């Protein structure tokens, strides 16, 4: 039997759909696709919780991929007792091999769309991943979670934070889910204000999962992530896998909540930031600042206490070149 990890086999092109098998401890395993593996307990020991953990949707964001690799291996070695249904996803395998954010297109802008004949590999993979998530959740009525793990391109004044996709009409941001994230070491949450083409938005919108994009530090190549402490996230996910769903009632006071005030649209190749394109996430933006100019149109900061997230002037026209966020703890309380 090979000593390679599931990640190593995936990167070597050695994983594809296989038959389910069960271990003596009652845990059943099935590889559903390249880089996609499902674990299920036998019914008697099930906790009634469905968990999707995805990573590597951007191929240069390797710290969460290494974390997920270790979780999978601990389960396969039967060190971690699976009491929940769990789906692990290594998202953009070709980009992970290349060590690049993407090969042709940013995969995290390709979810929640309809297939087209001329779709390239990243569009097709995004569609397949949505299908696997949909089949995994199926018609179960058990609580559904999807944590899509990332790292950020630039430095950040706050290392770990989550993006909470806009809830469906009639639904609200959940204070309990935000409090749970704090147990995973994520103490800053951005509430999205628009629909989106990200993986977490799709799982929330289509499958009613508690879904988040989670940023866990800076993007570095494999083997260079020792500076990122993922021990709380590791413990939190290990607990969920073992069927332990914590029930925090209140958001701890140290948790910071922002909401997205506006996306910074890039409409043309003339788009220019007035700030350095590599400015740290959460850098404050003075009211009245002309932050960017695009085809002669200025983008002026009109908000009090604004900050910038994900500045990236290099995205193609039609995509967001960053987000302007503002504090929103009271906003959440009023929901
Ligand atoms: O650091 C950056 O500029 C990008 C980090 C990253 O990949 N962030 C995600 C956020 C997705 C979301 O808004 O939910 C992305 O850009 O896809
Ligand atoms: Zn990312």
């Amino acid at each position: 039997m090979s000593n390679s990890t599931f990640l190593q086999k995936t990167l070597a092109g050695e994983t594809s759909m296989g038959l389910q098998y069960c271990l003596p401890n009652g845990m059943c395993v099935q590889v559903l696709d390249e880089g996609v593996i499902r674990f299920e307990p036998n019914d008697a020991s099930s906790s009634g919780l469905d968990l999707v953990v995805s990573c590597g949707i951007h191929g240069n964001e390797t710290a969460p991929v290494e974390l997920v690799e270790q979780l999978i291996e601990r389960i396969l070695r039967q060190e971690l007792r699976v009491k929940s249904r769990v789906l692990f996803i290594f998202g953009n395998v070709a980009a992970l091999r290349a060590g690049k954010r993407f090969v042709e297109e940013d995969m995290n802008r390709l979810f929640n769309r309809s297939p087209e004949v001329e779709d390239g590999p990243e569009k097709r993979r995004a569609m397949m991943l949505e299908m696997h998530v949909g089949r995994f959740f199926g018609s179960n009525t058990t609580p559904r979670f999807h944590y899509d793990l990332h790292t950020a391109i630039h430095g950040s004044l706050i290392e770990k934070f989550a993006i909470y996709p806009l809830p469906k009409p009639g639904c609200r941001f959940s204070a309990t889910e935000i409090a749970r994230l704090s147990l995973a070491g994520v103490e800053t949450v951005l509430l999205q204000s628009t629909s989106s083409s990200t993986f977490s938005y799709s799982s929330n919108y289509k499958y009613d999962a508690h879904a988040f994009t989670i940023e866990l530090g800076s993007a570095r190549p494999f083997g260079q992530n020792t500076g990122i402490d993922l021990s709380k996230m590791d413990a939190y996910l290990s607990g969920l896998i073992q069927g332990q769903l914590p029930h925090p009632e209140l958001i701890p006071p140290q948790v910071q909540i922002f909401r997205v005030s506006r996306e910074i649209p890039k409409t043309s190749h003339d788009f220019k930031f007035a700030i350095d394109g590599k400015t740290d996430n959460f850098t404050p933006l003075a009211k009245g600042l002309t932050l960017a100019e695009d085809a002669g149109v200025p983008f002026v900061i009109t908000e009090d206490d604004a900050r910038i997230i994900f500045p990236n002037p290099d995205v193609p026209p039609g995509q967001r070149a960053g987000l302007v966020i503002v504090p929103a703890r009271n906003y959440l309380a009023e929901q």
Side-chain angles (χ1 to χ4, degrees), residues 58 61 101 108-109 150-154 163 198 200 213 215 310 320:
H58 294 128
E61 301 177 0
R101 183 170 169 85
N108 215 19
R109 303 293 175 273
H150 290 245
T151 53
I153 302 171
H154 306 314
I163 299 112
T198 62
S200 62
T213 310
E215 303 287 344
F310 303 142
R320 72 179 193 212

PDB file of all heavy atoms in Angstrom, residues 58 61 101 108-109 150-154 163 198 200 213 215 310 320, ligand 1:
ATOM      1  N   HIS A  58      -7.922  28.470  -4.713  1.00  0.00           N
ATOM      2  CA  HIS A  58      -6.799  29.209  -5.301  1.00  0.00           C
ATOM      3  C   HIS A  58      -5.526  28.390  -5.054  1.00  0.00           C
ATOM      4  O   HIS A  58      -5.223  28.048  -3.904  1.00  0.00           O
ATOM      5  CB  HIS A  58      -6.687  30.607  -4.670  1.00  0.00           C
ATOM      6  CG  HIS A  58      -7.864  31.472  -5.003  1.00  0.00           C
ATOM      7  ND1 HIS A  58      -8.605  32.130  -4.056  1.00  0.00           N
ATOM      8  CD2 HIS A  58      -8.432  31.758  -6.207  1.00  0.00           C
ATOM      9  CE1 HIS A  58      -9.585  32.804  -4.658  1.00  0.00           C
ATOM     10  NE2 HIS A  58      -9.497  32.595  -5.962  1.00  0.00           N
ATOM     11  N   GLU A  61      -2.629  29.105  -2.349  1.00  0.00           N
ATOM     12  CA  GLU A  61      -3.016  29.308  -0.949  1.00  0.00           C
ATOM     13  C   GLU A  61      -2.907  27.967  -0.234  1.00  0.00           C
ATOM     14  O   GLU A  61      -3.891  27.231  -0.100  1.00  0.00           O
ATOM     15  CB  GLU A  61      -4.425  29.891  -0.895  1.00  0.00           C
ATOM     16  CG  GLU A  61      -4.493  31.221  -1.651  1.00  0.00           C
ATOM     17  CD  GLU A  61      -5.890  31.815  -1.707  1.00  0.00           C
ATOM     18  OE1 GLU A  61      -6.833  31.216  -1.162  1.00  0.00           O
ATOM     19  OE2 GLU A  61      -6.022  32.898  -2.315  1.00  0.00           O
ATOM     20  N   ARG A 101      -2.445  31.078  -8.390  1.00  0.00           N
ATOM     21  CA  ARG A 101      -3.821  31.349  -7.948  1.00  0.00           C
ATOM     22  C   ARG A 101      -4.826  30.616  -8.853  1.00  0.00           C
ATOM     23  O   ARG A 101      -5.776  30.031  -8.374  1.00  0.00           O
ATOM     24  CB  ARG A 101      -4.061  32.862  -7.948  1.00  0.00           C
ATOM     25  CG  ARG A 101      -5.433  33.298  -7.437  1.00  0.00           C
ATOM     26  CD  ARG A 101      -5.476  34.814  -7.257  1.00  0.00           C
ATOM     27  NE  ARG A 101      -6.805  35.319  -7.010  1.00  0.00           N
ATOM     28  CZ  ARG A 101      -7.406  35.375  -5.807  1.00  0.00           C
ATOM     29  NH1 ARG A 101      -6.771  34.933  -4.732  1.00  0.00           N
ATOM     30  NH2 ARG A 101      -8.603  35.875  -5.667  1.00  0.00           N
ATOM     31  N   ASN A 108     -12.853  31.138  -7.997  1.00  0.00           N
ATOM     32  CA  ASN A 108     -13.829  31.641  -7.017  1.00  0.00           C
ATOM     33  C   ASN A 108     -14.694  32.785  -7.577  1.00  0.00           C
ATOM     34  O   ASN A 108     -15.332  33.507  -6.829  1.00  0.00           O
ATOM     35  CB  ASN A 108     -13.122  32.089  -5.740  1.00  0.00           C
ATOM     36  CG  ASN A 108     -13.966  31.798  -4.510  1.00  0.00           C
ATOM     37  OD1 ASN A 108     -14.880  30.972  -4.550  1.00  0.00           O
ATOM     38  ND2 ASN A 108     -13.671  32.498  -3.422  1.00  0.00           N
ATOM     39  N   ARG A 109     -14.680  32.936  -8.894  1.00  0.00           N
ATOM     40  CA  ARG A 109     -15.640  33.822  -9.568  1.00  0.00           C
ATOM     41  C   ARG A 109     -16.515  33.017 -10.528  1.00  0.00           C
ATOM     42  O   ARG A 109     -17.179  33.574 -11.383  1.00  0.00           O
ATOM     43  CB  ARG A 109     -14.900  34.911 -10.382  1.00  0.00           C
ATOM     44  CG  ARG A 109     -13.936  35.762  -9.573  1.00  0.00           C
ATOM     45  CD  ARG A 109     -14.647  36.650  -8.550  1.00  0.00           C
ATOM     46  NE  ARG A 109     -13.682  37.375  -7.719  1.00  0.00           N
ATOM     47  CZ  ARG A 109     -13.148  36.884  -6.603  1.00  0.00           C
ATOM     48  NH1 ARG A 109     -13.512  35.690  -6.143  1.00  0.00           N
ATOM     49  NH2 ARG A 109     -12.273  37.590  -5.916  1.00  0.00           N
ATOM     50  N   HIS A 150      -9.113  29.723   2.728  1.00  0.00           N
ATOM     51  CA  HIS A 150      -8.215  30.480   1.834  1.00  0.00           C
ATOM     52  C   HIS A 150      -7.088  31.112   2.642  1.00  0.00           C
ATOM     53  O   HIS A 150      -7.096  31.106   3.876  1.00  0.00           O
ATOM     54  CB  HIS A 150      -8.981  31.631   1.155  1.00  0.00           C
ATOM     55  CG  HIS A 150      -9.968  31.186   0.144  1.00  0.00           C
ATOM     56  ND1 HIS A 150      -9.848  31.484  -1.201  1.00  0.00           N
ATOM     57  CD2 HIS A 150     -11.115  30.467   0.263  1.00  0.00           C
ATOM     58  CE1 HIS A 150     -10.878  30.974  -1.855  1.00  0.00           C
ATOM     59  NE2 HIS A 150     -11.661  30.355  -1.000  1.00  0.00           N
ATOM     60  N   THR A 151      -6.129  31.714   1.920  1.00  0.00           N
ATOM     61  CA  THR A 151      -5.208  32.683   2.519  1.00  0.00           C
ATOM     62  C   THR A 151      -5.177  33.896   1.583  1.00  0.00           C
ATOM     63  O   THR A 151      -5.527  33.784   0.407  1.00  0.00           O
ATOM     64  CB  THR A 151      -3.781  32.114   2.683  1.00  0.00           C
ATOM     65  OG1 THR A 151      -3.349  31.597   1.428  1.00  0.00           O
ATOM     66  CG2 THR A 151      -3.722  31.023   3.736  1.00  0.00           C
ATOM     67  N   ALA A 152      -4.746  35.037   2.120  1.00  0.00           N
ATOM     68  CA  ALA A 152      -4.820  36.287   1.353  1.00  0.00           C
ATOM     69  C   ALA A 152      -3.522  36.536   0.576  1.00  0.00           C
ATOM     70  O   ALA A 152      -2.449  36.090   0.976  1.00  0.00           O
ATOM     71  CB  ALA A 152      -5.100  37.445   2.292  1.00  0.00           C
ATOM     72  N   ILE A 153      -3.646  37.269  -0.531  1.00  0.00           N
ATOM     73  CA  ILE A 153      -2.475  37.541  -1.382  1.00  0.00           C
ATOM     74  C   ILE A 153      -1.510  38.489  -0.675  1.00  0.00           C
ATOM     75  O   ILE A 153      -0.300  38.309  -0.716  1.00  0.00           O
ATOM     76  CB  ILE A 153      -2.917  38.184  -2.718  1.00  0.00           C
ATOM     77  CG1 ILE A 153      -3.902  37.298  -3.464  1.00  0.00           C
ATOM     78  CG2 ILE A 153      -1.704  38.467  -3.605  1.00  0.00           C
ATOM     79  CD1 ILE A 153      -4.526  37.972  -4.674  1.00  0.00           C
ATOM     80  N   HIS A 154      -2.055  39.543  -0.048  1.00  0.00           N
ATOM     81  CA  HIS A 154      -1.210  40.577   0.574  1.00  0.00           C
ATOM     82  C   HIS A 154      -1.144  40.383   2.079  1.00  0.00           C
ATOM     83  O   HIS A 154      -1.837  39.549   2.642  1.00  0.00           O
ATOM     84  CB  HIS A 154      -1.800  41.962   0.328  1.00  0.00           C
ATOM     85  CG  HIS A 154      -2.051  42.243  -1.102  1.00  0.00           C
ATOM     86  ND1 HIS A 154      -1.130  41.966  -2.080  1.00  0.00           N
ATOM     87  CD2 HIS A 154      -3.113  42.775  -1.726  1.00  0.00           C
ATOM     88  CE1 HIS A 154      -1.625  42.323  -3.242  1.00  0.00           C
ATOM     89  NE2 HIS A 154      -2.834  42.806  -3.051  1.00  0.00           N
ATOM     90  N   ILE A 163     -15.503  35.815   5.452  1.00  0.00           N
ATOM     91  CA  ILE A 163     -16.489  36.559   4.662  1.00  0.00           C
ATOM     92  C   ILE A 163     -17.787  35.759   4.748  1.00  0.00           C
ATOM     93  O   ILE A 163     -17.826  34.572   4.418  1.00  0.00           O
ATOM     94  CB  ILE A 163     -16.045  36.726   3.198  1.00  0.00           C
ATOM     95  CG1 ILE A 163     -14.730  37.502   3.154  1.00  0.00           C
ATOM     96  CG2 ILE A 163     -17.094  37.474   2.389  1.00  0.00           C
ATOM     97  CD1 ILE A 163     -13.575  36.721   2.705  1.00  0.00           C
ATOM     98  N   THR A 198     -18.918  33.249  -5.569  1.00  0.00           N
ATOM     99  CA  THR A 198     -17.947  32.455  -4.804  1.00  0.00           C
ATOM    100  C   THR A 198     -18.552  31.111  -4.380  1.00  0.00           C
ATOM    101  O   THR A 198     -19.773  30.928  -4.376  1.00  0.00           O
ATOM    102  CB  THR A 198     -17.497  33.215  -3.541  1.00  0.00           C
ATOM    103  OG1 THR A 198     -18.646  33.432  -2.718  1.00  0.00           O
ATOM    104  CG2 THR A 198     -16.863  34.548  -3.892  1.00  0.00           C
ATOM    105  N   SER A 200     -18.574  29.774  -1.349  1.00  0.00           N
ATOM    106  CA  SER A 200     -19.361  29.823  -0.107  1.00  0.00           C
ATOM    107  C   SER A 200     -20.749  30.402  -0.380  1.00  0.00           C
ATOM    108  O   SER A 200     -21.743  29.949   0.191  1.00  0.00           O
ATOM    109  CB  SER A 200     -18.625  30.612   0.978  1.00  0.00           C
ATOM    110  OG  SER A 200     -18.413  31.949   0.585  1.00  0.00           O
ATOM    111  N   THR A 213     -16.355  31.952   3.509  1.00  0.00           N
ATOM    112  CA  THR A 213     -14.981  31.975   3.007  1.00  0.00           C
ATOM    113  C   THR A 213     -14.125  32.389   4.195  1.00  0.00           C
ATOM    114  O   THR A 213     -14.438  33.383   4.856  1.00  0.00           O
ATOM    115  CB  THR A 213     -14.800  33.039   1.910  1.00  0.00           C
ATOM    116  OG1 THR A 213     -15.820  32.887   0.927  1.00  0.00           O
ATOM    117  CG2 THR A 213     -13.425  32.935   1.265  1.00  0.00           C
ATOM    118  N   GLU A 215     -10.293  33.362   5.581  1.00  0.00           N
ATOM    119  CA  GLU A 215      -8.906  33.745   5.255  1.00  0.00           C
ATOM    120  C   GLU A 215      -8.037  33.451   6.481  1.00  0.00           C
ATOM    121  O   GLU A 215      -8.333  33.904   7.586  1.00  0.00           O
ATOM    122  CB  GLU A 215      -8.833  35.238   4.919  1.00  0.00           C
ATOM    123  CG  GLU A 215      -9.738  35.668   3.772  1.00  0.00           C
ATOM    124  CD  GLU A 215      -9.243  35.223   2.403  1.00  0.00           C
ATOM    125  OE1 GLU A 215      -8.055  34.851   2.291  1.00  0.00           O
ATOM    126  OE2 GLU A 215     -10.046  35.247   1.457  1.00  0.00           O
ATOM    127  N   PHE A 310      -8.841  43.169   0.081  1.00  0.00           N
ATOM    128  CA  PHE A 310      -8.543  42.527  -1.201  1.00  0.00           C
ATOM    129  C   PHE A 310      -8.247  43.492  -2.347  1.00  0.00           C
ATOM    130  O   PHE A 310      -8.768  43.309  -3.470  1.00  0.00           O
ATOM    131  CB  PHE A 310      -9.709  41.603  -1.641  1.00  0.00           C
ATOM    132  CG  PHE A 310     -10.087  40.528  -0.672  1.00  0.00           C
ATOM    133  CD1 PHE A 310     -11.424  40.173  -0.484  1.00  0.00           C
ATOM    134  CD2 PHE A 310      -9.121  39.851   0.060  1.00  0.00           C
ATOM    135  CE1 PHE A 310     -11.791  39.173   0.404  1.00  0.00           C
ATOM    136  CE2 PHE A 310      -9.473  38.845   0.967  1.00  0.00           C
ATOM    137  CZ  PHE A 310     -10.815  38.513   1.129  1.00  0.00           C
ATOM    138  N   ARG A 320     -14.372  42.708  -9.393  1.00  0.00           N
ATOM    139  CA  ARG A 320     -14.123  43.688  -8.345  1.00  0.00           C
ATOM    140  C   ARG A 320     -12.620  43.831  -8.137  1.00  0.00           C
ATOM    141  O   ARG A 320     -11.874  42.854  -8.159  1.00  0.00           O
ATOM    142  CB  ARG A 320     -14.800  43.257  -7.043  1.00  0.00           C
ATOM    143  CG  ARG A 320     -14.112  42.077  -6.391  1.00  0.00           C
ATOM    144  CD  ARG A 320     -14.753  41.667  -5.088  1.00  0.00           C
ATOM    145  NE  ARG A 320     -13.901  40.744  -4.368  1.00  0.00           N
ATOM    146  CZ  ARG A 320     -14.340  39.774  -3.573  1.00  0.00           C
ATOM    147  NH1 ARG A 320     -15.623  39.593  -3.391  1.00  0.00           N
ATOM    148  NH2 ARG A 320     -13.491  38.993  -2.956  1.00  0.00           N
TER     149      ARG A 320
HETATM  150  O1  LIG B   1      -5.996  38.447  -0.930  1.00  0.00           O
HETATM  151  C1  LIG B   1      -6.746  38.538  -1.894  1.00  0.00           C
HETATM  152  O2  LIG B   1      -6.802  39.541  -2.619  1.00  0.00           O
HETATM  153  C2  LIG B   1      -7.690  37.422  -2.257  1.00  0.00           C
HETATM  154  C3  LIG B   1      -7.864  36.380  -1.190  1.00  0.00           C
HETATM  155  C4  LIG B   1      -9.019  35.545  -1.631  1.00  0.00           C
HETATM  156  O3  LIG B   1      -8.835  34.635  -2.388  1.00  0.00           O
HETATM  157  N1  LIG B   1     -10.208  35.937  -1.191  1.00  0.00           N
HETATM  158  C5  LIG B   1     -11.417  35.363  -1.674  1.00  0.00           C
HETATM  159  C6  LIG B   1     -12.607  35.986  -1.004  1.00  0.00           C
HETATM  160  C7  LIG B   1     -13.884  35.400  -1.521  1.00  0.00           C
HETATM  161  C8  LIG B   1     -15.149  36.004  -0.929  1.00  0.00           C
HETATM  162  O4  LIG B   1     -15.370  37.207  -1.110  1.00  0.00           O
HETATM  163  O5  LIG B   1     -15.927  35.246  -0.307  1.00  0.00           O
HETATM  164  C9  LIG B   1     -11.483  35.610  -3.161  1.00  0.00           C
HETATM  165  O6  LIG B   1     -11.042  36.674  -3.631  1.00  0.00           O
HETATM  166  O7  LIG B   1     -11.990  34.732  -3.857  1.00  0.00           O
END
